[in-house]
Amino acid sequence: MIGLKGKNALITGATSGIGQAIAIRLAKEGCNIAINYRSYPEEAADTEEMALQKSCGNIENCGVKSLLVQGDVSQESDIVEMVNTVVKEFGSLDILVNNAGIQTESPSHEVTTADFDRVIAVNLRGAYLCARETIKHLLSVNRPGVIINISSIHEIIGRLLYISYSISKGGMENLTKTLALEYASLGIRVNAIGPGATITPMNQAWIDDPEKKAIVESHIPMGRAGSSEEMAAAVAFLASDEAAYITGQTLFVDGGLTLYADFRESWSA
Ligand code: NAD
């Protein structure tokens, strides 16, 4: 895609699932990739190997640079250090993908404050702080840049038993819109994707159980869950110059889930 080759990208939570697929796809497009892991560098080794293999085949002489960068996105000091490290190693940072995310299940009236705070700290505050540090850098070097938030269909649809997750993704809509509005004139585009049900470790509870998977997929107009690669393709588009005039938007990549499958048949009187 136009405008990605040679760009420096940081992907948070890039050790599995959608984040891993995004790192691989951006490397394939010629981006240098900073692969964020939360605790141990081994977590990111698979992503790095696959990304370099997919982008050049020959890891020894790969034109694409990769960097493994530690950072728990719920910790402000980790984020500051992570962004500084990427800028120091790559020379600049052009693309931030806020992908790291967690969820906890509980009836809303039983959620502990600690659990609630943890989900918000990772999914929403972490995304904001990563964006803040990236924007500070971009403004200090007077360069354009792109921020992409990995939101969810639950940005616009409530999700029972996952109140903190729903709130975090609902908040992401205005994180995307406000930053987009504030920095549009300075050449910084901010967009989001809203994945529907996607085959990743986050959905382990149903992806290996044919019955549960069929129930999930019965609610999706296209009749199947999405893949991490399909999410990554949308991210690559939004990060590229093909999307040069797009900012402040959430692109739902959901097989039609936000069209509400119940409306496939007419049930009005
Ligand atoms: P996943 O569990 O495979 O990936 C989550 C990633 O976030 C992991 O790499 C994990 O290590 C990382 N992470 C968690 N806490 C972190 C922290 N404190 N600091 C740094 N990294 C941290 O799940 P996934 O499905 O790939 O989820 C990726 C994103 O996509 C999440 O934001 C999720 O909400 C969103 N999403 C997923 C789906 C889906 O159906 N899988 C649907 C909508 C949105």
Side-chain angles (χ1 to χ4, degrees), residues 12-19 36-38 43 71-74 98-102 122-123 150-153 165 169 194-203 206 228:
T12 69
T15 59
S16 67
I18 294 172
N36 160 246
Y37 61 91
R38 184 179 35 194
E43 294 169 38
D72 177 339
V73 300
S74 67
N98 275 318
N99 168 78
I102 55 170
V122 173
N123 296 11
I150 308 306
S151 183
S152 166
I153 56 158
Y165 186 84
K169 298 302 184 181
T198 309
I199 306 290
T200 74
M202 191 178 258
N203 289 324
W206 56 262
S228 294

Side-chain angles (χ1 to χ4, degrees), residues 26-49:
L26 291 181
K28 222 172 147 186
E29 296 288 344
C31 292
N32 301 314
I33 48 162
I35 302 164
N36 160 246
Y37 61 91
R38 184 179 35 194
S39 308
Y40 307 103
E42 301 79 56
E43 294 169 38
D46 282 356
T47 305
E48 182 177 44
E49 199 186 322

